[in-house]
Each structure stands twice: as structure tokens, then as C-alpha cells.
Amino acid sequence: MGVGKSTAGRALAALLRWDFEDTDALVEREQGCSVEEIFRTVGEGRFREAEWAALCSLKGRTRLVVATGGGLFLGVAQRAFLRGQGLSCWLDAPLELVAGRVDDGGARPLWPTDDPLSRRAFFERRRAAYALADIRIDASIGGAEELARAIEAAKHSLCR
């Protein structure tokens, strides 16, 4: 959350000349409302079901960069699915950078806004799952283009 997955994903897709999909955008199109509205009206569980369906709809597509919601990679089945389809990349950023971006941006339904200890716990729980990604990129190295080039270089070194 807040590391620039969608922006860097679009830049990576452009660099590779691949297609780009964002699971949050797919869910919003399918449901006809925003992620925030889905959380508010039907809850996180229904959002996760829609998110999983959106991811599964991409099965078998090639030459595709996918930006997933921050919670999608937490599920064991979802991680296995992603592994079976290609490489996963964790854009790792310090809590301070994430908090600054999330606090200045749009609504994030699960982000603990008031309690620094809850915020730290939320952040650390997710990091443990993200560490299972195939590639780790320091998201504080620069903008979307720099991140895209770093991901492409890491992908290239893994696929030799």
C-alpha cells in the first residue's frame, strides 16, 4: 500500500511493451464502484472474493504486468497462483515513506490512521508475506521509471 505499484507497473509495462492490468481497477469496473465503497458497503471479505476473481481472470495471459492490491499477496493460494503465472515483485519501502504517501492520498480502508503502534503492526504483518516475493526492489530509489528499470534488471537476472 502506497509504494507505487500501479504507477511503477504501468512504467514497467511500457518499458517491456507488455500489457498492464491493475486488480483494484478490474474490481472497480466489475463492481461498478470504488474499492473504498466496496469495503464500506459489503466488507473486506466480499472485496477479497472480487479481487481473487479479478486475478483469476488474468490466468494464462502472457506479456502482462499486474499491479495487485496490497492485501492480495497475503493469501497462500493467491501467492501460489501468482508464482504459477510468472514472477512476483515486492516494492519495499520504509513505513515513513508509505505513511506519508497514504496519509496524503485517497482513502485506504484498512490503513490505521490514528495509532502509530497499530500502523507499525499492520505494516510489519504485511512485510512478512511480501518477503516471499521472487524479487525485492527498494521503492525509495526513485520514481516510476527508475523502479521499472530496476524490476526489469532483476527480472532479467532471474530469467537467465
Side-chain angles (χ1 to χ4, degrees):
M1 184 182 301
V3 297
K5 296 179 301 295
S6 297
T7 306
R10 279 187 198 88
L12 178 62
L15 177 68
L16 298 172
R17 295 191 173 118
W18 289 7
D19 293 332
F20 173 77
E21 295 286 358
D22 182 307
T23 58
D24 283 351
L26 290 171
V27 168
E28 288 178 342
R29 272 197 307 271
E30 176 67 26
Q31 301 295 313
C33 57
S34 71
V35 169
E36 179 186 12
E37 197 173 345
I38 296 167
F39 267 81
R40 191 176 60 252
T41 59
V42 295
E44 182 181 2
R46 291 285 298 275
F47 170 76
R48 295 292 172 213
E49 290 170 8
E51 184 181 50
W52 178 225
L55 181 63
C56 289
S57 76
L58 303 173
K59 184 176 183 173
R61 286 187 54 189
T62 59
R63 300 175 52 88
L64 177 66
V65 174
V66 179
T68 67
L72 190 63
F73 200 72
L74 304 178
V76 174
Q78 289 78 356
R79 281 195 308 273
F81 178 88
L82 289 165
R83 278 232 163 81
Q85 298 300 305
L87 296 175
S88 58
C89 177
W90 169 29
L91 297 180
D92 185 15
L95 176 58
E96 297 72 25
L97 177 65
V98 170
R101 290 178 178 177
V102 172
D103 290 342
D104 289 342
R108 307 290 177 125
L110 297 178
W111 182 247
T113 57
D114 297 333
D115 178 21
L117 291 177
S118 294
R119 188 177 274 189
R120 171 66 64 189
F122 173 85
F123 184 77
E124 293 302 330
R125 271 193 314 274
R126 286 187 165 206
R127 286 177 60 83
Y130 297 164
L132 300 172
D134 299 309
I135 298 168
R136 179 198 163 271
I137 300 294
D138 179 355
S140 64
I141 63 170
E145 287 74 26
E146 289 85 7
L147 290 172
R149 284 193 294 275
I151 296 165
E152 197 276 332
K155 173 190 163 299
H156 182 73
S157 69
L158 277 178
C159 295
R160 285 185 178 176

